[in-house]
Amino acid sequence: VSLTLVALGGMAAFGLPGTVRNDAVQAGRLGFYDSYADQREGSSARAMLGLRYDREHAGAVTHALTYGGYRTLHLFENFTGYLADPVNGDFRDQRHEAYSFGAQVEHVQTLHPTIALRAGAGVRGDVLAQKERSVDGNDDFVSLRRGLSGVQLSPFAFLGGIWEPIKAFRAEGGARLDLVHVAMKDEANGGPKERGTLAAASP
């Protein structure tokens, strides 16, 4: 039996490219790599924790994995200056936040020295929220351009067999079923909720 624990995390802050007026560059007031003071930056962070279990005993092998993670991304940008909104400017404040989780198990059972049965199941999920706001040069709210929140789940299961009559030859076959369920809320357009489920079978 073995247990493996994995933990990781990271953070970043960065500048974002922007546009400059051609006449300002030609007049020498700005260089090619310059930007206006009101063209900002972004930040990102991610963390994940996972635990894996492995066991071999009496012709059987079992693998199990569970994990959870967090992801956030924030962008404050303006690529077009005051083109679309001459009063407030074309500033966009974008935020993405998501919690991810999952678990899966796989078991291989030897039925005969040359034949084994393989089965497994698992699920992957995300709880997420995305928002894009129009703001002015002072970061004050102007309008909500995009607002989306919801959940997506992806459970799966598979069953198959392994045939290995000699060490130089190995054949595997089986079937897998995947489901995808999505439930989302559009906060930018009055809050309608949409949901749906898809299924797919594959070898």
Side-chain angles (χ1 to χ4, degrees):
V1 175
S2 67
L3 289 174
T4 306
L5 180 66
V6 177
L8 61 90
M11 298 180 66
F14 47 88
L16 288 173
T19 56
V20 295
R21 292 175 59 90
N22 190 48
D23 55 3
V25 176
Q26 291 178 339
R29 294 192 297 271
L30 289 172
F32 183 78
Y33 291 104
D34 292 328
S35 64
Y36 300 114
D38 55 11
Q39 292 172 338
R40 306 293 180 84
E41 66 277 331
S43 62
S44 173
R46 170 174 286 179
M48 180 171 286
L49 184 67
L51 179 65
R52 181 183 174 94
Y53 167 87
D54 298 281
R55 181 174 188 264
E56 294 186 26
H57 177 69
V61 179
T62 302
H63 306 288
L65 172 69
T66 182
Y67 60 89
Y70 173 76
R71 175 84 166 94
T72 181
L73 176 67
H74 178 213
L75 302 175
F76 189 96
E77 60 189 14
N78 184 352
F79 293 118
T80 52
Y82 287 78
L83 180 65
D85 189 338
V87 176
N88 299 303
D90 303 344
F91 303 95
R92 297 189 301 175
D93 182 282
Q94 300 179 74
R95 296 177 185 270
H96 170 84
E97 188 175 41
Y99 296 89
S100 301
F101 57 90
Q104 63 186 61
V105 61
E106 177 181 347
H107 183 77
V108 178
Q109 179 67 53
T110 300
L111 305 178
H112 181 271
T114 62
I115 300 174
L117 182 68
R118 180 170 176 254
V123 64
R124 156 76 192 257
D126 299 280
V127 180
L128 59 94
Q130 298 176 342
K131 186 171 292 186
E132 180 178 322
R133 306 182 306 152
S134 294
V135 296
D136 61 17
N138 298 317
D139 297 353
D140 293 329
F141 176 79
V142 176
S143 64
L144 181 63
R145 302 180 59 174
R146 173 182 172 84
L148 182 70
S149 62
V151 177
Q152 54 187 21
L153 294 173
S154 303
F156 66 89
F158 59 86
L159 179 65
I162 302 170
W163 180 45
E164 191 172 5
I166 57 175
K167 289 188 177 297
F169 179 82
R170 177 186 175 102
E172 296 191 28
R176 174 176 172 130
L177 177 65
D178 286 89
L179 299 176
V180 179
H181 176 75
V182 179
M184 293 292 170
K185 181 179 180 181
D186 186 357
E187 299 175 358
N189 295 302
K193 295 182 179 180
E194 299 288 344
R195 62 183 63 237
T197 303
L198 295 175
S202 55

